[in-house]
Amino acid sequence: MNITMRFAAVMLGMSLVAGCSTMTEGEYNNMHDTLQGSPAVKRSVIKECVVSERATPAAKKKTYSAFMNVSPDRYEAAMCNRLVNALADGRITYVDYQKLSSPTADSSKVIKIMQGR
């Protein structure tokens, strides 16, 4: 699974935490506003994301952490914090989220976020 697909899986996981199985633009915007306006919800989503990412095989964690410029032991926290904060801050839009399902789409914005830039 490439990093873009991993990100899509995390986003889907966050949408399930938010109570929806597929995200419409309205649901995405609601999730953004909730994360932006509630530090407690944001912490909870990050925590659940970290727990979920712990199941990632060690070899993949090593690859993903190198891509993200973090050590493998920081992978889960870095990934979840970067993604959730980018969603809450509005740096990842619904259009960006939709592009993740296409292997040919420009994902440079998401790559920068994953790398902490």
Side-chain angles (χ1 to χ4, degrees):
M1 179 182 294
N2 68 31
I3 195 71
T4 304
M5 292 307 293
R6 173 58 98 198
F7 173 73
V10 170
M11 291 296 292
L12 180 58
M14 286 191 295
S15 71
L16 293 174
V17 168
C20 46
S21 58
T22 59
M23 274 199 287
T24 65
E25 187 170 8
E27 290 165 334
Y28 187 92
N29 291 336
N30 291 340
M31 185 169 49
H32 158 74
D33 288 343
T34 300
L35 292 172
Q36 185 178 47
S38 176
V41 170
K42 187 162 82 167
R43 282 190 305 271
S44 177
V45 170
I46 290 170
K47 183 178 177 181
E48 293 215 13
C49 175
V50 167
V51 169
S52 174
E53 286 303 306
R54 284 189 183 132
T56 302
K60 289 189 182 211
K61 283 183 189 182
K62 185 176 179 182
T63 300
Y64 297 152
S65 63
F67 167 79
M68 293 172 56
N69 301 313
V70 298
S71 64
D73 61 320
R74 291 273 311 132
Y75 161 73
E76 296 96 345
M79 174 142 173
C80 295
N81 276 290
R82 289 175 184 178
L83 292 178
V84 174
N85 285 325
L87 177 61
D89 296 344
R91 290 181 291 139
I92 298 173
T93 66
Y94 183 68
V95 172
D96 298 327
Y97 168 72
Q98 287 180 309
K99 286 180 186 178
L100 293 173
S101 62
S102 170
T104 60
D106 178 2
S107 297
S108 59
K109 186 178 187 181
V110 173
I111 289 168
K112 288 177 184 175
I113 289 167
M114 296 302 299
Q115 293 179 334
R117 302 187 279 148

